[in-house]
Amino acid sequence: MITITRRQARRLRGVLRRHTLGIPHRGPVSPFVLHARGAELRAFHRCGAVAIEFVDSIAPGSHESIALPLDALAEFEGRDDSPVTLETLAPDRTCVRWTDRGVPQSRAYAVQSLDAIEPSPEPPTSWATIPAEILKTLAEASETASEDSARYALGCIRLGGETGAVAATDGRQLLIHGGFRFPWTDEVLIRRSPLFACPGLPRDQPVEVGRTGSHVVLKVGPWTLFLEIQTEGRFPDLGRVVPAPATAATRLKLDPDDARFLGAALDRLPGAAESHAPVVLELNGKAAVRARGADQAQATELVLARSTYSGAPVRLDTNRKFLSRALRLGFSEIEIVDAESPVVCRGRDLVFCWQPLSKDEAADPIADASHVYSIISIDPTAVEAAVATTMRTTVSEPRESTESHEPIRVPAAAETQEPAGLAALIREAESLHQTLTDARARAARVAAALRRHRRRERLVDATLASLRALKLQDVVG
């Protein structure tokens, strides 16, 4: 018999759950095993190429091993320290007893025999310490990797012992994060896993890393992760894919406020649900991002009024999720070779690169757009207003009603704050000029609709007058 607390069960379930381990919501799943050895409790679970071990303390006295279904933790976890008693009824049956709000509870679970459960791997004989950032890096690499390739091992993450870099790709995007010192000299592959992003793992502590003949092992707090080394499959040479800095023909320098505005507004642009979620990055006299929905004749354009670019003008069609991810990773500069070569963002130890959309994947060319200026509106909900206005004014003819369009309001702080420097004044003047141009175009459309309305009213009046003047005679046969 083993006794733990409901709080310990909750702590276990913070990591040992289906979605954290990448296990389908339905279907069989291997059990986990609790080992009690005196005052030490060890919980172990294996899921494919990843095995997890948890170590904690319990009341001394037990020397037993008990298997439990992974989903059972949800039934008896809790926020208090009331006891949970686990007892083996038979080699394939476990009973759990606990109290919930003063009401005794009991469940019996069918489990595999302990003899049929594979034991935990052997730990490494030596360890090295690496920064806690490795968990975040592995989580980002897992998000980058993909299972869709049969030619390359794109479902794997490469850990370079000589380069100290973590690398991953799905064939469309790639991530290389260097600066780590692994205690080996060759390159090893491990499977990607959502486990690395689990908030139940301590993320503010240095990580101990070691290696055995079959596993890379990470130890953080009470948790130890055994990551099986993948010996089959080829990993692409990512260094040959990333364009050299000297080949960049255009460089976009994002202002921090523009980057925040764009990151919040990208998903609000029309066309987000379409295949490849295309947007156009336009660097031609201004820095702008625009998109159009399939049912819209006019696009919505985000003008990044504070940002600048250098080099040749370029029009780049890209999947917005890659641009959004570059912003989320904290990049402020984007290197562009041309409209067809990979786009590169570089940091101190981080490189993120992605492939633009081909002509078949890109959206149709856009001639007209409704503009939203970052220097005027820092509220991304202004994009939704612009999209709604675009849909009202571009589907068929303008409506002949007294429909009003609310202007984009400038926040109070922006209204009173004077721009610093000549360049900022020029940019604000250009933004104001474009805003007035848009307003003039809107006024012209409304005036044209009113003139058509007036002509129709005159035609109706003339028709009614003719009918009144017409005298009908009855013909009697």
Side-chain angles (χ1 to χ4, degrees):
M1 184 174 66
I2 299 177
T3 301
I4 62 174
T5 67
R6 296 188 71 187
R7 194 188 305 275
Q8 283 177 315
R10 181 179 178 84
R11 194 176 181 190
L12 282 170
R13 189 170 179 259
V15 176
L16 299 181
R17 55 201 311 168
R18 286 179 179 255
H19 79 268
T20 299
L21 301 174
I23 303 172
H25 181 65
R26 297 181 180 274
V29 57
S30 59
F32 71 97
V33 182
L34 293 173
H35 302 282
R37 300 293 182 266
E40 182 184 75
L41 174 72
R42 288 182 177 269
F44 174 77
H45 177 72
R46 182 186 294 272
C47 176
V50 178
I52 314 156
E53 187 175 66
F54 173 82
V55 180
D56 204 354
S57 59
I58 57 173
S62 299
H63 286 78
E64 191 174 354
S65 297
I66 295 177
L68 269 176
L70 191 69
D71 299 332
L73 287 168
E75 294 197 70
F76 54 81
E77 66 158 4
R79 299 179 181 274
D80 57 48
D81 292 320
S82 59
V84 178
T85 302
L86 304 98
E87 185 177 5
T88 300
L89 300 180
D92 61 350
R93 198 165 185 80
T94 298
C95 180
V96 181
R97 298 182 180 88
W98 74 99
T99 300
D100 186 11
R101 299 179 184 179
V103 180
Q105 305 287 334
S106 178
R107 297 285 189 279
Y109 302 98
V111 295
Q112 284 180 280
S113 171
L114 290 174
D115 296 336
I117 300 175
E118 191 173 352
S120 61
E122 290 294 325
T125 57
S126 61
W127 300 86
T129 302
I130 56 178
E133 189 181 8
I134 186 63
L135 289 179
K136 179 181 178 181
T137 300
L138 290 173
E140 291 289 350
S142 294
E143 184 179 334
T144 307
S146 171
E147 306 289 346
D148 295 337
S149 175
R151 182 181 179 187
Y152 290 106
L154 301 189
C156 292
I157 301 169
R158 186 184 67 192
L159 308 179
E162 185 175 351
T163 61
V166 177
T169 181
D170 63 358
R172 281 276 191 179
Q173 59 177 328
L174 66 85
L175 181 80
I176 303 175
H177 194 162
F180 299 103
R181 292 186 177 181
F182 299 117
W184 55 81
T185 58
D186 57 340
E187 295 181 345
V188 298
L189 300 180
I190 60 173
R191 298 292 299 176
R192 70 169 186 154
S193 173
L195 175 62
F196 300 127
C198 175
L201 297 175
R203 314 195 78 80
D204 57 351
Q205 303 178 20
V207 177
E208 301 294 315
V209 60
R211 179 181 174 182
T212 67
S214 58
H215 289 80
V216 170
V217 186
L218 303 178
K219 183 164 62 175
V220 52
W223 296 95
T224 302
L225 312 182
F226 297 85
L227 312 171
E228 186 177 310
I229 297 174
Q230 305 298 301
T231 57
E232 301 293 332
R234 281 191 309 150
F235 197 81
D237 184 1
L238 301 185
R240 299 176 59 183
V241 178
V242 182
T247 63
T250 309
R251 295 175 184 270
L252 170 62
K253 181 67 176 179
L254 287 168
D255 176 88
D257 289 334
D258 279 359
R260 285 190 290 271
F261 168 78
L262 181 59
L266 265 176
D267 287 341
R268 301 170 184 266
L269 285 174
E274 295 179 16
S275 178
H276 305 293
V279 296
V280 176
L281 174 60
E282 183 82 31
L283 304 178
N284 189 2
K286 62 181 177 181
V289 175
R290 64 176 179 264
R292 176 174 61 86
D295 56 347
Q296 293 178 258
Q298 189 180 47
T300 301
E301 182 174 87
L302 308 178
V303 180
L304 308 178
R306 305 176 183 87
S307 300
T308 60
Y309 75 92
S310 60
V314 66
R315 178 186 186 274
L316 186 77
D317 293 287
T318 179
N319 188 321
R320 73 186 69 195
K321 77 174 185 178
F322 297 143
L323 180 57
S324 178
R325 191 174 184 203
L327 298 172
R328 180 168 58 82
L329 289 170
F331 292 107
S332 60
E333 186 171 301
I334 299 176
E335 300 175 9
I336 303 171
V337 177
D338 53 49
E340 298 178 354
S341 300
V343 183
V344 188
C345 297
R346 304 179 200 269
R348 179 181 176 185
D349 294 313
L350 185 63
V351 174
F352 179 59
C353 179
W354 75 91
Q355 181 66 33
L357 295 176
S358 66
K359 293 181 179 179
D360 295 335
E361 298 168 332
D364 295 332
I366 306 167
D368 191 19
S370 173
H371 302 85
V372 179
Y373 292 85
S374 62
I375 200 170
I376 295 177
S377 175
I378 60 173
D379 184 2
T381 56
V383 178
E384 293 178 345
V387 172
T389 301
T390 299
M391 294 185 70
R392 288 196 299 266
T393 58
T394 61
V395 177
S396 68
E397 294 184 350
R399 297 179 61 182
E400 299 172 357
S401 66
T402 57
E403 179 181 12
S404 63
H405 301 279
E406 290 295 328
I408 299 173
R409 286 289 301 154
V410 181
E415 289 174 346
T416 59
Q417 183 178 1
E418 295 184 359
L422 180 60
L425 286 168
I426 292 173
R427 286 198 300 269
E428 187 170 6
E430 291 174 345
S431 300
L432 180 59
H433 177 269
Q434 185 63 51
T435 302
L436 293 174
T437 301
D438 293 343
R440 183 175 61 185
R442 181 182 296 176
R445 289 195 296 269
V446 173
L450 290 173
R451 283 194 293 269
R452 287 194 296 272
H453 185 69
R454 184 172 59 185
R455 285 196 296 269
R456 278 194 284 268
E457 282 188 339
R458 289 175 177 174
L459 180 61
V460 170
D461 291 341
T463 302
L464 292 176
S466 298
L467 290 174
R468 284 194 294 268
L470 183 64
K471 297 181 179 179
L472 297 178
Q473 296 181 355
D474 293 334
V475 179
V476 179

